[in-house]
């Protein structure tokens, strides 16, 4: 009876949808050897993609806690990170220093853009996510023009013939490519564990966890869970909401820099356009709602989302002996996004 009660409690807390997704991911790993897919390679790719995306998913937490909802305006943070990264390359910093300087250069952009974004969201309370989506999409379109007009002249970044305007894809070779991936990386046969990325994410997650337990963090959570109580307690609601937006924007900036170092390239123009939905979906799949999120939700959601996205195309390609990996990836990712957003709507009713 005790075991049954524990099982029921686990199912209730973890939720059937996540259990089904986790079982499906486990089934993919079990089927992989019979389909001719190297399990160690698949696990390495899953762990790598987790490290690449976890900070971007973590960026959702502050705004959820303050009641601003899911950050569909994440492209603002990503743009801040791209500006910091390109300035770091423009000034010819190299190695680990270029990674640190990219974060430092992106910080003022994240603060300014986050502040303006926060002011806007404070004026549209109740419609934050719709406005955030518009802000995210329009900022990407605006930067498509700015990447051509900003005065960069580093030959590794600008178009070769014109000598001006940034390329769509910029290599990080010689700068901070794989700076975290290679740090303390453990290789066992085909399995590679990128401990550098894990430690960097753990540091940010620990700082976020500690912040949410400070007086300011508690006030921010109170604003999201019970605004009337927060107001009665003397908490400045608009200030707390704005702080959460700035934090989320800065984490988005850092997250894209972590993503870049693993990918090995900076991608500009329309690339930030599609990066908010996977991050939103991952945290929802991890068990968060529009007004409650934890670090555990971030970890579970990112592993499940990226694991399914990594293993499904590989296994399916091997089973049907046809290379349709990109088609499968689009179907699977859009399916998980649809599930996550449907779940979000159910949670708000």
């Amino acid at each position: 009876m005790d075991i049954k009660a524990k099982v029921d409690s686990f199912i209730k807390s973890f939720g059937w949808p996540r259990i089904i997704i986790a079982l499906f991911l486990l089934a993919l790993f079990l089927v992989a050897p019979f389909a001719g897919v190297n399990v160690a390679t698949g696990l390495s790719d899953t762990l790598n993609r987790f490290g690449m995306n976890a900070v971007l998913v973590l960026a959702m937490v502050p705004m959820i806690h303050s009641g601003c909802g899911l950050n569909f305006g994440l492209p603002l943070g990503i743009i801040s990170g791209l500006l910091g990264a390109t300035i770091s390359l423009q000034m010819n910093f190299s190695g680990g220093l270029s990674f640190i300087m990219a974060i430092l250069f992106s910080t003022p952009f994240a603060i300014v853009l986050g502040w303006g974004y926060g002011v806007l969201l404070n004026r549209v309370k109740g419609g934050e996510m719709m406005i955030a989506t518009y802000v995210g999409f329009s900022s990407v379109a605006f930067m498509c023009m700015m990447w051509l007009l900003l005065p960069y002249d580093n030959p590794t970044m600008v178009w070769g013939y014109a000598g001006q305007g940034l390329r769509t894809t910029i290599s990080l070779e010689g700068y901070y490519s794989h700076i975290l991936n290679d740090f303390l990386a453990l290789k066992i046969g085909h399995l590679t564990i990128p401990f550098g990325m894990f430690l960097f994410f753990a540091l940010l997650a620990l700082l976020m966890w500690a912040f949410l337990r400070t007086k300011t963090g508690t006030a921010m959570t109170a604003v999201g869970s019970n605004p009337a109580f927060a107001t009665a307690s003397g908490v400045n609601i608009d200030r707390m909401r704005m702080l959460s937006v700035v934090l989320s924007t800065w984490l988005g900036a850092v997250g894209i820099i972590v993503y870049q170092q693993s990918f090995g390239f900076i991608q500009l123009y329309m690339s930030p356009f599609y990066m908010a939905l996977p991050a939103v979906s991952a945290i929802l799949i991890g068990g968060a709602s529009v007004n409650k999120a934890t670090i555990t939700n971030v970890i579970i959601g990112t592993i499940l989302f990226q694991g399914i996205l990594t293993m499904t195309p590989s296994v399916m390609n091997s089973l049907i002996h046809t290379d349709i990996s990109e088609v499968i990836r689009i179907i699977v990712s859009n399916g998980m996004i649809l599930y996550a957003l449907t779940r979000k709507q159910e949670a708000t009713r």
Side-chain angles (χ1 to χ4, degrees), residues 84-102 105 154 172-176:
T86 51
I87 292 173
S88 178
L89 268 62
Q90 171 70 18
M91 299 184 70
N92 278 314
F93 292 105
S94 60
L97 182 59
S98 64
F99 177 78
I100 295 171
M101 295 308 297
F105 286 136
N154 186 327
L172 289 173
E173 190 67 34
Y175 296 101
Y176 58 89

Side-chain angles (χ1 to χ4, degrees), residues 236-299:
N236 187 319
I237 291 180
D238 286 353
R239 185 179 299 168
M240 288 297 105
R241 284 166 56 94
M242 188 175 296
L243 175 60
S244 75
V245 175
V246 171
L247 281 174
S248 183
T249 305
W250 182 77
L251 284 170
V254 176
I256 195 60
I257 294 171
V258 174
Y259 186 98
Q260 292 163 359
Q261 66 81 33
S262 183
F263 190 58
F265 296 90
I266 297 173
Q267 289 187 303
L268 302 176
Y269 299 96
M270 294 302 292
S271 62
F273 196 81
Y274 304 101
M275 299 197 75
L277 283 177
V280 168
S281 300
I283 198 165
L284 290 175
I285 288 173
S289 66
V290 292
N291 50 25
K292 184 179 180 181
T294 66
I295 305 300
T296 303
N297 297 146
V298 173
I299 295 171

Side-chain angles (χ1 to χ4, degrees), residues 114 182 312 345:
D182 295 340
T312 303
Q345 292 172 355

